[in-house]
Amino acid sequence: MVTNPTSGRGEDRRHLHVRLTREDSAIYDMITLYLEVSGKAPDWYWRTVGRQEGEDADTMEELLSSAFEAGVYMAREHADQVRLQWVTADECERERKAEARNASPEESKQKERSALSHYA
C-alpha cells in the first residue's frame, strides 16, 4: 500500500505522480489491456470517454470505476512498469519545465501519454 508522506501544510503538501517506467508504453495501452483482460469493450470505453461531458451520471460512474480498476490492475499485474512518486507543487512545476525544455514536440506528446498526474 502506498501512503501519502504529506505533512498537510501548504507548500509541503505532496500529490502523486504515476509514470510508466518504459518509454514505449502508454497509459492508454495499459487501460485497453485491462479492459480486454476483464472482458470489457475497449472501443466502447474510449468512444464514451470522448463524448462525456458529465451528462450521464451512471455512465460516468462506470467509466470512473473502470479507470480505477485499471489502475489497480496496472499496479498489481504490471508493477514493474509503474513508478509512483510523491511530489510537492514546486517539484511538479520544476519537472514540467525541465521536460518542456528538453523534449521535442513528439517526445512531449509521448510523455503525456505515459503519465497520470494529480489523480491522488
Side-chain angles (χ1 to χ4, degrees), residues 2-119:
V2 177
T3 58
N4 183 345
T6 65
S7 66
R9 294 177 302 150
E11 290 300 312
D12 292 338
R13 187 174 173 97
R14 294 181 179 269
H15 60 271
L16 182 63
H17 281 197
V18 179
R19 303 279 190 243
L20 295 178
T21 58
R22 292 179 37 197
E23 292 291 325
D24 62 340
S25 294
I27 294 291
Y28 303 110
D29 297 337
M30 297 300 291
I31 292 172
T32 299
L33 177 61
Y34 157 75
L35 291 167
E36 290 170 348
V37 167
S38 67
K40 297 182 179 183
D43 291 342
W44 170 86
Y45 183 85
W46 292 118
R47 280 193 310 271
T48 304
V49 167
R51 288 192 306 259
Q52 283 303 303
E53 294 185 19
E55 294 175 11
D56 181 359
D58 289 337
T59 302
M60 186 59 77
E61 183 176 335
E62 173 64 24
L63 293 172
L64 291 172
S65 294
S66 292
F68 182 76
E69 290 168 352
V72 172
Y73 168 79
M74 289 167 50
R76 182 179 172 131
E77 301 296 326
H78 297 278
D80 60 321
Q81 296 183 35
V82 179
R83 179 173 46 96
L84 304 176
Q85 181 181 12
W86 288 100
V87 297
T88 64
D90 289 341
E91 291 167 337
C92 180
E93 189 59 28
R94 280 194 300 272
E95 181 181 319
R96 269 191 273 227
K97 286 179 181 177
E99 287 175 359
R101 278 193 309 271
N102 298 327
S104 69
E106 185 57 35
E107 288 171 330
S108 293
K109 184 183 278 188
Q110 180 62 25
K111 288 274 189 201
E112 185 178 311
R113 291 184 69 216
S114 68
L116 285 177
S117 299
H118 312 285
Y119 288 101

